[in-house]
Amino acid sequence: LSLHDALPILFADASEVAIAASAYLRQVTNNTQCEVSFLIGKSKLAPVDAATIPLLELCAAVLAVELLELIQEEVDIDIDSVTLYSDSKVVMGYMQNKTRRFYTYVSNRIARIRQSTEPMQWRYKHTNLNPADVGTRPVATSDLGNTSWLTGPKFLQNQREHMCETRAYV
């Protein structure tokens, strides 16, 4: 298979305890089939200085950007398009806003996200469809195979459904 048309897709999520990001490589193998492969996932304890869930979700978005940069550095493929997902409408609003001034904490993280991504690359997906949610809570290793962490959400395997997800959250 040629990896020329492979698309990296990343997810970010946070809880009171942890932030997480997961990355997948999605490739259309013919007109009807999609293959989704787990690339990398990262989970870490929530930063102490981010006191609210929206701020933690913003930190998770930065983590997703850091994973994207690692993928771009290490994986030898042409990356035509990248899509990033968050389940935070507040974070989506932060990224789309170009006129309002934010507190320094928010402003610095938005600047970091925009350093490597464009607001139009970000999409909203409900937490039930966000595999990074798994990385924000304890999961026994024996149960990890039963989650979407390693496989990605099912909607990525449906070419038509993902193609409909081309609009950013507004």
Side-chain angles (χ1 to χ4, degrees), residues 127-140:
T127 192
N128 294 342
L129 299 172
N130 187 344
D133 178 64
V134 176
T136 66
R137 53 190 162 79
V139 176

Side-chain angles (χ1 to χ4, degrees), residues 103-121:
Y103 292 109
T104 304
Y105 189 91
V106 172
S107 180
N108 288 343
R109 277 144 191 86
I110 293 298
R112 176 67 182 93
I113 292 166
R114 287 185 180 163
Q115 180 181 340
S116 296
T117 64
E118 297 293 326
M120 295 306 291
Q121 291 177 283

Side-chain angles (χ1 to χ4, degrees), residues 4-12 22-26 39 61 63-73 75 77-85 92 113 116-123 156 162 165-168:
H4 177 70
D5 294 325
L7 304 172
I9 299 173
L10 293 93
F11 293 83
S22 56
Y24 306 87
L25 193 64
R26 181 178 182 275
L39 285 178
L63 182 61
V65 167
E66 291 170 352
L67 288 185
L68 173 61
E69 291 169 347
L70 178 66
I71 292 166
Q72 289 173 322
E73 217 173 89
V75 178
I77 60 171
D78 292 330
I79 297 177
D80 297 331
S81 176
V82 175
T83 304
L84 301 101
Y85 289 96
M92 300 309 294
I113 292 166
S116 296
T117 64
E118 297 293 326
M120 295 306 291
Q121 291 177 283
W122 286 87
R123 312 278 188 274
L156 289 182
H162 184 70
E165 286 294 323
T166 56
R167 292 185 319 268

Side-chain angles (χ1 to χ4, degrees), residues 2-77:
S2 166
L3 292 179
H4 177 70
D5 294 325
L7 304 172
I9 299 173
L10 293 93
F11 293 83
D13 197 21
S15 71
E16 295 173 348
V17 179
I19 64 172
S22 56
Y24 306 87
L25 193 64
R26 181 178 182 275
Q27 182 177 22
V28 178
T29 56
N30 60 40
N31 289 339
T32 59
Q33 243 182 329
C34 296
E35 289 189 14
V36 178
S37 303
F38 177 77
L39 285 178
I40 188 171
K42 188 169 187 177
S43 183
K44 58 187 194 177
L45 292 176
V48 178
D49 56 347
T52 66
I53 294 294
L55 294 181
L56 290 168
E57 293 279 4
L58 193 55
C59 292
V62 170
L63 182 61
V65 167
E66 291 170 352
L67 288 185
L68 173 61
E69 291 169 347
L70 178 66
I71 292 166
Q72 289 173 322
E73 217 173 89
E74 299 295 330
V75 178
D76 188 25
I77 60 171

